[in-house]
Amino acid sequence: MTPDRDEILLRDTLQTGLHPTETDLWPAVAEALPAGERQQKRRTRALRLAVCLGAPLLLAAGALLGQVKFTNLRTNPRPSFAPENNTGYAIQYDQTAYQLPDKLMDSLLAHYNGQHDADGMPPMRTFLSGRNLPPEGPGGRGYDSWADLTKATGLPLVQSNLLDSGTPDDSGFSLIPYSYTIPLPDDWQTFSVEERNAYYKEYNESQWRLAGAWPAGFSVEWDEDTPMYLYPRRVDKLSNGCTIETQAYVLLAAEERPAGTSSTGSRVYYDKKAGFVWEVEEYTTPSGIVALLPRCTSNGKTSPYLNAYAFFEQNGIFYRLEIIPYDGWGQIEDGGEAARAVLKEVLDSIEPAA
């Protein structure tokens, strides 16, 4: 028998076998099962992405590839779209490979190689705050606004007047130079103390204008020496005191996936907490976006932050929204329902890219 068929037999025995019990033992067992022999990095990712060449998106028409789906990995362990996972829940979505502008791509590659780019910008290290954060490889970039980020990347990112009217919370995205070795001029030994201090001050100011906190930005995930995912991000505080974190997941074009290629992606939702039980609300926005809002039915009352997420896909880009209420999670008595109402208000404000 194959390992997957062995797992199915074991799960069925635990759930409906000779020794039935009111407690579902499968999550605890599945958590301890081996994930199978790991294949090479590129091969594993290629399998997870399930790239389907020759199926380009109808981007000009604004067509959607499909709707985000929520899959219980306890009853469907290691599905084809997430073969390395056997516990928790998986979010499955369609995605499109996008090609970044040549100048930006050249900058990412220079930073990956530890070099300054054509504009003299040094490689930057990305720092993110929050939960369920994406990887932070070299090449991160900060912007003064989500609109500036959208223009620089050329991506069809969704827009929101409501979020734009809020106060940017730059604590969610910051950068510092990877290396802080200050290059000294050839005649450094002839500098006076005052001249050296002025040089240090000018250099530090030039570097930290690129670093520090930003209202919006992106981090990068690399597959060997090729940028695989771009993660645009913004964090905004609304007038009602709630903070909204917007995270996008953008698949980048590469030799094996030309721009416009469609594929299937997945993210595991609370994989280490397989004992949680969820139901999913489908919410349709005025612009026609269908968002999934998971609700924890096992202990969402005591941990209302579990009910504060929304997921949707637009133009082959996957999005995750999270709301952080102003009064803290421990003081909410309604299991996060008030927060979800604000989350729906934000979803209603989202418009596809023009």
Side-chain angles (χ1 to χ4, degrees):
M1 297 180 68
T2 65
D4 286 344
R5 293 184 64 185
D6 290 340
E7 285 185 25
I8 294 173
L9 176 61
L10 177 59
R11 184 186 72 238
D12 291 344
T13 301
L14 288 172
Q15 292 178 329
T16 60
L18 298 177
H19 303 285
T21 174
E22 293 182 359
T23 303
D24 183 1
L25 299 177
W26 172 246
V29 174
E31 187 72 31
L33 288 175
E37 183 178 356
R38 292 191 177 275
Q39 302 175 19
Q40 294 180 355
K41 186 176 182 182
R42 188 182 296 273
R43 181 177 177 84
T44 300
R45 284 179 171 169
L47 177 61
R48 174 167 61 85
L49 290 172
V51 175
C52 301
L53 297 178
L57 256 187
L58 301 178
L59 294 179
L64 292 178
L65 276 172
Q67 183 176 325
V68 179
K69 299 178 182 178
F70 205 70
T71 299
N72 186 342
L73 295 177
R74 296 187 301 166
T75 58
N76 183 22
R78 297 183 185 172
S80 60
F81 60 84
E84 70 276 19
N85 297 303
N86 54 24
T87 61
Y89 291 75
I91 300 171
Q92 179 187 2
Y93 52 91
D94 294 322
Q95 56 189 354
T96 298
Y98 283 94
Q99 181 67 48
L100 295 176
D102 290 343
K103 183 177 180 179
L104 180 55
M105 181 63 76
D106 291 343
S107 175
L108 297 185
L109 293 174
H111 289 174
Y112 178 85
N113 292 317
Q115 304 168 350
H116 288 58
D117 66 13
D119 293 329
M121 181 177 179
M124 309 297 285
R125 173 180 290 179
T126 308
F127 288 91
L128 309 177
S129 65
R131 289 185 289 266
N132 303 319
L133 298 176
E136 305 169 12
R141 187 72 60 88
Y143 297 91
D144 289 327
S145 68
W146 184 257
D148 288 345
L149 187 159
T150 301
K151 181 179 179 180
T153 59
L155 296 170
L157 298 173
V158 297
Q159 306 296 314
S160 167
N161 290 331
L162 177 61
L163 293 181
D164 290 342
S165 67
T167 302
D169 184 347
D170 54 16
S171 65
F173 188 93
S174 59
L175 300 169
I176 64 169
Y178 254 99
S179 174
Y180 206 64
T181 301
I182 299 179
L184 301 179
D186 294 337
D187 58 346
W188 176 252
Q189 296 300 328
T190 66
F191 279 32
S192 66
V193 173
E194 291 77 12
E195 289 173 332
R196 291 186 178 190
N197 288 337
Y199 179 86
Y200 284 139
K201 183 176 184 294
E202 181 180 358
Y203 181 84
N204 288 336
E205 288 178 349
S206 70
Q207 295 298 289
W208 286 100
R209 278 196 294 271
L210 301 173
W214 294 88
F218 64 72
S219 59
V220 187
E221 179 181 355
W222 293 79
D223 181 10
E224 298 180 359
D225 59 352
T226 302
M228 179 178 180
Y229 270 100
L230 200 74
Y231 299 106
R233 176 181 176 83
R234 67 183 294 176
V235 182
D236 303 276
K237 191 168 185 177
L238 302 181
S239 59
N240 59 15
C242 293
T243 299
I244 304 293
E245 175 189 298
T246 304
Q247 181 72 65
Y249 300 76
V250 182
L251 179 66
L252 297 179
E255 182 178 354
E256 68 273 18
R257 51 176 185 274
T261 298
S262 64
S263 60
T264 300
S266 67
R267 301 280 159 177
V268 176
Y269 189 67
Y270 283 98
D271 59 326
K272 296 301 181 184
K273 302 184 184 302
F276 287 166
V277 179
W278 305 85
E279 63 181 23
V280 181
E281 176 185 0
E282 290 189 2
Y283 183 76
T284 303
T285 71
S287 62
I289 296 174
V290 179
L292 300 186
L293 285 78
R295 178 185 283 105
C296 184
T297 57
S298 55
N299 67 343
K301 291 290 185 179
T302 57
S303 300
Y305 71 88
L306 297 173
N307 300 329
Y309 293 91
F311 306 91
F312 65 91
E313 175 263 331
Q314 179 69 27
N315 284 338
I317 298 176
F318 175 63
Y319 294 87
R320 171 178 63 81
L321 298 183
E322 179 187 358
I323 181 172
I324 304 173
Y326 67 93
D327 55 355
W329 296 115
Q331 303 174 23
I332 297 177
E333 303 296 334
D334 65 350
E337 289 305 307
R340 289 167 68 89
V342 178
L343 192 57
K344 291 179 179 179
E345 182 181 358
V346 173
L347 286 169
D348 286 347
S349 73
I350 291 177
E351 294 288 341

